[in-house]
Amino acid sequence: MHRRTSAFNIVSVVLGLVFLYVPIAILVIYSFNDSKLVAVWGGWSLRWYRALLDDSAILQAAWVSVRIAFMTACLATMLGTLAALALVRMGRFRGRLPFSAMVYAPMVMPEVIIGLALLLLFVAIDIERGMITTTLAHTTLTMCFVTVIVQSRLLAFDWSLEEAAMDLGCPPFRAFLTVTLPLILPAVLAGFMLAFTLSLDDLVIASFTTGPGATTLPIRIYSEVRLGVKPEINAISTLMIAFVAIVVVAASLLTKRYAATERGEARREPS
């Protein structure tokens, strides 16, 4: 039985999409504005993209953010996948409750508290604040999201496939790499992309843990917006939106291609 789509549902969806994407569309359009005043339209132009090439400070901040986000995503994906494996495969082990609480705490804890706590930790152990401390802080924040995504996939995983590989003489680690990891790879990639995006977007935690020479793009934009929005900010924001969109689309296509390949191989296998 098909549910009838009501006018209320359609209007709700349209209003939700407008609320989410109209501000982004306006930002993208005004990044091509020829006027020096960001709120006054002066015609189409690439003027501020050319000016952006001469703004070394904001370009450096963007490059720092991308590097931190990539390192964060790699660390968070590895640690989050291992945590998900421990929670699913080891069952109700001793210390599971505090372990789960520590893994999931950053999801519900205010970022201000996380940033302040990590700042006090780095000061106490005398680590100079910079890219390393920001990466570690972002890994702490994003690892729990990777754990949730990968754990949801592992809960539906058929562990007899891995056991069959080990029965045929495959070592446990190799069985994980050749059997388990390829099957949960879409969830791992989704966790990687989410960690990358959250790190790229973070302002609060980075403001506590960053140092000289490691200013991220959100911090740079926030510091400049307080003095007034420059047209170059619209341009760099549009470029970052395009970059994230391209990465997400590429990851989605890669996942779909991998899933299609797996289905094709399964159909070719003899019954």
Side-chain angles (χ1 to χ4, degrees):
M1 182 177 179
H2 297 283
R3 288 187 177 182
R4 187 177 178 181
T5 303
S6 65
F8 175 78
N9 291 336
I10 296 175
V11 172
S12 299
V13 171
V14 171
L15 290 178
L17 294 176
V18 168
F19 178 78
L20 290 174
Y21 292 108
V22 166
I24 297 177
I26 293 174
L27 183 147
V28 173
I29 292 172
Y30 271 85
S31 69
F32 297 98
N33 186 14
D34 188 56
S35 173
K36 290 184 178 180
L37 302 175
V38 294
V40 178
W41 181 254
W44 297 94
S45 174
L46 295 175
R47 173 183 180 182
W48 303 115
Y49 287 93
R50 291 191 292 267
L52 184 63
L53 297 177
D54 298 325
D55 194 337
S56 58
I58 201 166
L59 290 177
Q60 176 65 23
W63 177 235
V64 169
S65 290
V66 171
R67 285 189 292 169
I68 291 176
F70 180 77
M71 292 187 293
T72 296
C74 291
L75 287 174
T77 301
M78 288 188 294
L79 296 175
T81 302
L82 292 175
L85 284 169
L87 291 171
V88 173
R89 297 191 62 171
M90 298 180 65
R92 301 186 64 83
F93 59 90
R94 187 174 183 180
R96 177 188 174 90
L97 183 60
F99 178 75
S100 300
M102 288 188 293
V103 169
Y104 298 132
M107 294 185 68
V108 296
M109 191 176 298
E111 292 188 9
V112 174
I113 303 300
I114 298 175
L116 180 59
L118 291 171
L119 172 62
L120 295 176
L121 173 65
F122 296 143
V123 171
I125 60 180
D126 195 22
I127 295 182
E128 184 178 356
R129 285 180 291 165
M131 286 189 62
I132 294 178
T133 55
T134 306
T135 300
L136 293 175
H138 284 181
T139 301
T140 303
L141 172 68
T142 58
M143 187 188 76
C144 56
F145 294 94
V146 178
T147 303
V148 171
I149 295 173
V150 177
Q151 185 180 6
S152 64
R153 175 65 184 89
L154 289 173
L155 289 173
F157 182 74
D158 186 3
W159 294 103
S160 63
L161 299 174
E162 187 178 286
E163 294 172 358
M166 289 188 289
D167 289 340
L168 294 173
C170 188
F173 183 68
R174 186 177 178 183
F176 170 78
L177 292 179
T178 57
V179 177
T180 307
L181 184 58
L183 294 175
I184 66 171
L185 187 59
V188 174
L189 290 177
F192 179 92
M193 287 305 306
L194 182 58
F196 183 89
T197 305
L198 290 173
S199 174
L200 199 65
D201 176 67
D202 178 70
L203 170 66
V204 178
I205 293 179
S207 63
F208 281 95
T209 57
T210 192
T215 302
T216 62
L217 183 61
I219 294 177
R220 172 64 61 180
I221 291 176
Y222 178 72
S223 62
E224 293 190 1
V225 164
R226 288 186 299 174
L227 303 176
V229 180
K230 298 194 305 182
E232 291 95 329
I233 294 178
N234 290 339
I236 188 64
S237 299
T238 300
L239 291 177
M240 295 302 294
I241 291 171
F243 173 75
V244 172
I246 291 172
V247 173
V248 170
V249 170
S252 177
L253 292 176
L254 181 63
T255 302
K256 289 182 179 179
R257 182 177 179 182
Y258 177 82
T261 303
E262 289 292 320
R263 287 194 298 268
E265 291 179 354
R267 281 194 292 265
R268 286 195 297 268
E269 290 179 357
S271 57

